[in-house]
Each structure stands twice: as C-alpha cells, then as structure tokens.
Amino acid sequence: MVRAIVGANWGDEGKGKITDMLARESDIIIRFQGGSNAGHTIINNYGKFALHLLPSGVFYGHTTSIIGNGVALNIPYLFNEIKALTDKGVPAPRILVSDRAQIMMPYHVLFDTYEEERLGGKSFGSTKSGIAPFYSDKYAKIGFQVSELFDEAALKEKVERVCELKNVLLEHLYHKPAIDPEELFKTLLEYRDMVKPYVCDVSRYLHDAIKEGKNILLEGQLGSLKDPDHGIYPMVTSSSTLAAYGAIGAGIPPYEIKNITTVVKAYSSAVGAGAFVSEIFGQEADELRRRGGDAGEFGATTGRPRRMGWFDAVASRYGCRIQGATEVALTVLDVLGYLDELPVCVGYEIDGKVTKDFPTTVELEKAKPVYTRLPGWKCDIRGIKTYEELPKECRDYVEFIEKELGVKITMVSNGPGRDEIIYRR
Ligand code: GDP
C-alpha cells in the first residue's frame, strides 16, 4: 500500500514527525520532490536531527530510504547527511537514489544567491539552496541526470555546452566570476563516486515492491500553499508539493496512492514572503513563536524566524482539498494550551465580500481575516494518550477544525516525540 504524507499549509506542519512515526510499520520511504531547501526536525532515541534530503524513515533498521527522480539531488549534501547520522550512532541506513534524479550543480546555488541579490527587496525569499535555478534548468532541458555521470565523454561535452550559456549570464547579468568547465567536470566525477553505491532504477524497484505488497510512504516537503500551480504563486517553491506529484516524482502509477495523510498545523506559521491572511504580529506573535519552541521558532534549513498566525480554516480546507486528503493529522496542538481564547480564521473578506474559498494570489493580497473565537483549555495536554482525556475545550477546537476541513482528523499530535500521538478512529 502506498501512503502519502503531505502538508496542507505553508510547510513546517510536522510531516517529519508523522512520517518518522508511521515509518515504524513501513518498508520504504521516498522523497519525491524538493531538495535540501526545507527540512524535517526529528527527535528520537539517537538525538535531535535536522534532515534535509534524506527521508524521515532513515532511523529504522528495517526501512529502505529512497531519493526519487523528482528530487533536486545535492550529492555532497546527501553524503554529509548520511555521515552526520552514522557519526551519531545511527546504523548505516539503506539508501537508494534514482538514476533519473537530477543533480543540484554548484552553480545553481550561486545563481540562486546572485538572483536574490539582483532582485533586492523584490526577492522571493529563497532559501538560496539552488532550487529555482535547478528546476528551471531541468525543464529547460539543460539539467544533469545522475545517469549522465556514468558516460564521461558525453558528460564532458555537455558541461562545456552548458558552461557557455551560464557564463554569459555570470559575466553580463551578474558580473561574477565565470565557471571553469574543466573544474566543474572534475567536481562531477567526484559526485559520481559519492553517489555510485546508491544508484538504482527506482521506479522498477518500486514496481516490484508494490507487487509484493510492501508498505510504502511518500514523504512530501513544504505544503499545498507552496505548490507552484495551486499555491500562492509566485511565492511558492519550484516543484509540486502535492501528493499527486508523488506518482511522478517516485515513478509509480497514480492509482497506487491509496491514502493521503495530510498534516495540518493547529495554528499557522510560514517562512518566506507572501500573503498570509491570519498573520499576527508583535507580542502576540512572539509569545506563540516562543511557546512553539522548535515547532515555532525557526525554519529547519534557513534558521529564519517563522511568521506566525492563527489557524486558517480557509487556507487549510483548500490545502486538504488540493492534496486530496483522505485523513488529517493535526499537529502541535499542545502549544496552544496557554491561550484564553483561540481565534480561528473562518472566512476572507475581499472587497467587502466574505468568501470561504481560497482565492488566487491577486485576490489573496486584499483578503482580511474573519475570525470566530473558541474558548481555550488553559492546561498542558502533553502526556495525554487518549482523545477522551483531552479537555472538552480542546476537543471542541479539534472538532471545529475537523468540520471546517471536511476531512476526518485521525491523529492529534500533542508533542514532538514519536509517541506523542493520539489516535482517533
Ligand atoms: P515538517 O517540515 O512538516 O516536517 O516540519 P518541521 O520539522 O520543520 O517542523 C515541525 C516542528 O514541530 C519540529 O521541530 C517538530 O519536532 C515539532 N513538532 C511536530 N509535531 C509536534 C507537536 O505535536 N507538538 C510540538 N510541540 N512540536 C511538534
């Protein structure tokens, strides 16, 4: 059975924790999009880890971790991430990398930085991990597939051809040093040696695994609202964050994805620029950010402080719909225990009219939040193991959100740890 674990919001919903938890009963975990531009924070017996490229299942001895063809593969990054695990005593994970994955080139990271510099105040709030230049090149058909590393003559020729193009931009647009094709070629040969032990025909492997009835997880990065088609374009990421893309980015049939577990955060947070209707500021935001601790403060990759907001039912319902959510995991509910009352954004007022439908970016910029307030529960819910034991006000909050989403909340997460989860059937 293939199950996707994806985000309904702007990312940082806690997908990593849910994936790590569900990976216990899984055989294979696959990253199918994105790159090292966002991360998951995982807390387990070995310590605390920020994973950027590796899927969250790498901590179990029985799982196979896969980097699918849809991922922006930063080879030295992958290499270092594996090393960071084994250095901390995690048993060497079983890792496969798709021979069709494309390679994050050193110049992608440079171009990302130079372009943000050039745009100045008008920048997209990129993480400067090279993601946008990487996917631009992939679709412009000047990217490099892992498989291409293994044909030296063709590789050399292509490196020269691509450098010619890149160097025009470097010299005339960015006024930066040119790339030396000879040096780049050597770097790519080093990449080849690093990645060689892991390379695999992943879609073939998964075809057999599905036939054998293996339990497979597709782990999404970021959330619905960062999807380039359905998110808050252009303040989005450059690869699809949707479960549907899991089929393409892993190389499996779409109808095999039977379960789409969509992770929804009990309040809102976002990293980077873009309209954020239920955003809060000042002391109110600082308090929520501080209470959120690891879940609140800083993006796992960039260390940038997160923007905070109240739960946005309009955005989250849309986020679930566009994912095709079959069930919802509601996370970081424990953080809200300090509040006397909890504002929930249930509508957007745009040009004097209230809507419950998430609009396109142009309209979104004009939207003002319409709030309903629910009573707080004023206690710490960490450690609680069953739904019935949660305070009534807390259950009311969960059930209010469930009604707004129109999707069953099957899991409530009340702490960062693997076992801090309340199942609801
Ligand atoms: P992801 O990208 O969706 O995996 O999210 P991140 O890992 O960037 O952010 C989620 C953060 O919230 C991590 O620091 C988690 O340890 C933490 N977290 C996840 N679930 C919970 C929860 O239920 N309660 C609390 N307090 N923290 C959580």
Side-chain angles (χ1 to χ4, degrees):
M1 209 269 282
V2 184
R3 178 178 197 166
I5 299 160
V6 287
N9 306 120
W10 298 264
D12 303 327
E13 295 93 350
K15 297 174 296 293
K17 177 218 155 133
I18 302 294
T19 307
D20 178 59
M21 198 184 86
L22 295 174
R24 193 179 307 177
E25 270 97 56
S26 304
D27 304 298
I28 297 166
I29 301 99
I30 311 163
R31 280 284 311 270
F32 62 89
Q33 46 88 221
S36 55
N37 53 324
H40 298 295
T41 313
I42 311 275
I43 300 167
N44 58 29
N45 307 340
Y46 297 104
K48 182 174 163 179
F49 298 86
L51 297 181
H52 302 283
L53 259 177
L54 287 172
S56 302
V58 291
F59 297 100
Y60 296 100
H62 68 276
T63 56
T64 299
S65 300
I66 297 184
I67 308 282
N69 56 277
V71 171
L73 173 67
N74 185 324
I75 293 176
Y77 216 107
L78 175 73
F79 202 72
N80 289 333
E81 210 160 280
I82 297 170
K83 191 170 173 305
L85 295 190
T86 48
D87 283 354
K88 277 203 194 171
V90 180
R94 180 169 157 71
I95 292 166
L96 302 176
V97 173
S98 169
D99 54 4
R100 290 178 182 273
Q102 294 210 2
I103 303 157
M104 176 63 71
M105 305 292 275
Y107 54 76
H108 287 141
V109 183
L110 292 177
F111 274 97
D112 211 349
T113 311
Y114 297 160
E115 182 62 8
E116 287 278 302
E117 260 174 44
R118 192 181 73 85
L119 291 171
K122 291 203 162 57
S123 79
F124 294 97
S126 161
T127 59
K128 304 187 184 75
S129 308
I131 296 296
F134 168 91
Y135 283 105
S136 308
D137 281 0
K138 175 172 175 175
Y139 293 108
K141 297 172 287 187
I142 52 170
F144 290 79
Q145 259 189 7
V146 165
S147 60
E148 291 178 82
L149 294 174
F150 298 90
D151 181 342
E152 275 191 39
L155 182 68
K156 196 161 200 306
E157 186 274 326
K158 184 165 169 182
V159 164
E160 278 160 15
R161 186 157 46 84
V162 172
C163 280
E164 217 172 285
L165 180 70
K166 296 293 171 195
N167 283 338
V168 173
L169 286 174
L170 284 172
E171 185 183 346
H172 298 285
L173 183 64
Y174 298 115
H175 313 292
K176 299 285 181 186
I179 307 163
D180 175 1
E182 197 56 47
E183 211 175 291
L184 180 62
F185 177 66
K186 273 199 211 131
T187 304
L188 291 179
L189 295 184
E190 284 167 24
Y191 283 9
R192 179 196 61 193
D193 297 338
M194 284 185 214
V195 80
K196 200 172 175 184
Y198 309 110
V199 178
C200 168
D201 179 348
V202 162
S203 80
R204 179 91 241 305
Y205 178 87
L206 291 175
H207 175 81
D208 291 345
I210 290 171
K211 265 214 300 219
E212 288 162 22
K214 296 268 198 260
N215 279 329
I216 300 170
L217 293 181
L218 293 167
E219 181 183 34
Q221 182 207 41
L222 296 168
S224 300
L225 305 171
K226 293 283 187 181
D227 182 73
D229 283 84
H230 297 283
I232 53 171
Y233 190 85
M235 302 302 181
V236 293
T237 192
S238 304
S239 67
S240 176
T241 56
L242 303 181
Y245 190 76
I248 296 159
I252 60 171
Y255 55 76
E256 293 294 350
I257 306 173
K258 306 287 190 215
N259 176 301
I260 300 172
T261 300
T262 306
V263 186
V264 175
K265 196 163 173 161
Y267 56 91
S268 300
S269 74
V271 183
F276 183 3
V277 178
S278 65
E279 184 166 14
I280 53 174
F281 304 91
Q283 267 190 353
E284 212 178 24
D286 290 342
E287 168 115 66
L288 183 54
R289 194 178 292 117
R290 190 175 58 74
R291 299 261 180 187
D294 281 338
E297 281 174 19
F298 304 107
T301 295
T302 56
R304 295 182 291 184
R306 289 188 181 134
R307 297 163 68 194
M308 311 303 286
W310 302 126
F311 183 80
D312 183 339
V314 178
S316 302
R317 177 175 46 249
Y318 172 77
C320 286
R321 169 162 72 77
I322 220 73
Q323 288 290 6
T326 59
E327 60 183 279
V328 161
L330 186 69
T331 56
V332 292
L333 190 61
D334 52 299
V335 167
L336 302 178
Y338 73 98
L339 291 161
D340 293 323
E341 57 171 25
L342 295 92
V344 174
C345 175
V346 290
Y348 289 174
E349 190 191 313
I350 301 169
D351 296 331
K353 272 209 195 124
V354 175
T355 178
K356 282 181 146 293
D357 289 322
F358 192 78
T360 56
T361 309
V362 181
E363 294 291 299
L364 188 67
E365 303 282 358
K366 300 188 279 184
K368 293 190 194 70
V370 177
Y371 287 115
T372 289
R373 284 162 208 280
L374 275 72
W377 47 92
K378 301 293 286 176
C379 68
D380 186 2
I381 59 162
R382 282 189 72 176
I384 293 182
K385 294 285 177 205
T386 65
Y387 187 67
E388 292 66 36
E389 285 172 86
L390 288 173
K392 177 170 185 308
E393 292 79 5
C394 184
R395 279 183 279 134
D396 286 346
Y397 185 70
V398 173
E399 286 159 37
F400 184 88
I401 288 176
E402 181 174 72
K403 208 163 159 217
E404 286 289 321
L405 298 179
V407 185
K408 181 84 184 153
I409 296 176
T410 57
M411 287 173 264
V412 174
S413 175
N414 59 338
R418 260 182 193 173
D419 301 311
E420 292 180 286
I421 195 83
I422 297 169
Y423 290 95
R424 254 181 108 228
R425 294 281 168 209

